[in-house]
Amino acid sequence: MKQKTAFLGLFSAVAIIFGYVESLIPFFAGIPGIKLGLANLAVLFILHKYSFKEAALVSAVRILVIGFMFGNIFSILYSLAGAALSLCVMSLLDRSHSFSLIGLSIAGGVSHNVGQLLVAMVIVNNTSLVYYAPALLISGVITGILIGILTSEVSRRLP
């Protein structure tokens, strides 16, 4: 139990550090909400190693700490919505044992962007934001592949 708690704390810290590093990277694609999602590596790893509950805990800690340090209430809301949908989708797909970490990560990246887009449309009360969907879906696939590859490497190297 103590080892599991230490592991969750370690990966929460890793997710927070990755979130900080990502905030330093000037990444502008012209579409609001597109970013690499480095912190999701920790969440995907915990989902793979433990379960939905532990991954949700690491994800919530990451979002709240990063949101209060580098964002605002809206960034926290967007992140929570994206993370909740993403984690649910990845967890359901993981139960089938038919998807690799890369496949789970792609599904997570795409669903994260969909969740954020849906919340944005509700907050601004404007469905025309759906025009951002193609770019967000493509970025979700690309970043999902990258995070999936990195998570696979971490999983291979850690016991």
Side-chain angles (χ1 to χ4, degrees):
M1 181 64 176
K2 288 181 184 181
Q3 183 180 8
K4 179 179 172 183
T5 303
F7 214 68
L8 294 176
L10 173 68
F11 272 85
S12 293
V14 165
I16 292 165
I17 290 167
F18 282 169
Y20 172 69
V21 168
E22 192 169 61
S23 75
L24 299 176
I25 299 170
F27 187 75
F28 181 73
I31 307 290
I34 292 180
K35 61 182 188 170
L36 297 173
L38 292 173
N40 294 320
L41 185 154
V43 175
L44 180 58
F45 179 82
I46 294 297
L47 177 64
H48 181 67
K49 182 163 178 66
Y50 293 108
S51 71
F52 175 85
K53 184 174 85 170
E54 289 86 358
L57 178 65
V58 168
S59 186
V61 167
R62 166 190 71 89
I63 289 167
L64 293 174
V65 171
I66 291 171
F68 285 122
M69 289 176 65
F70 310 113
N72 56 41
I73 191 68
F74 291 107
S75 64
I76 292 171
L77 287 174
Y78 292 135
S79 292
L80 284 172
L85 184 58
S86 173
L87 194 53
C88 287
V89 167
M90 290 190 301
S91 182
L92 289 172
L93 294 177
D94 191 37
R95 288 183 187 167
S96 73
H97 303 290
S98 301
F99 292 86
S100 67
L101 284 174
I102 296 171
L104 290 177
S105 183
I106 291 168
V110 168
S111 58
H112 186 92
N113 287 346
V114 167
Q116 287 189 328
L117 185 60
L118 292 173
V119 167
M121 289 189 317
V122 168
I123 287 176
V124 300
N125 196 24
N126 188 345
T127 58
S128 67
L129 293 177
V130 77
Y131 292 114
Y132 288 121
L136 289 171
L137 295 177
I138 291 168
S139 75
V141 170
I142 293 169
T143 59
I145 291 169
L146 295 173
I147 298 303
I149 290 169
L150 291 172
T151 305
S152 294
E153 274 302 303
V154 170
S155 292
R156 194 173 62 79
R157 295 171 188 250
L158 289 179

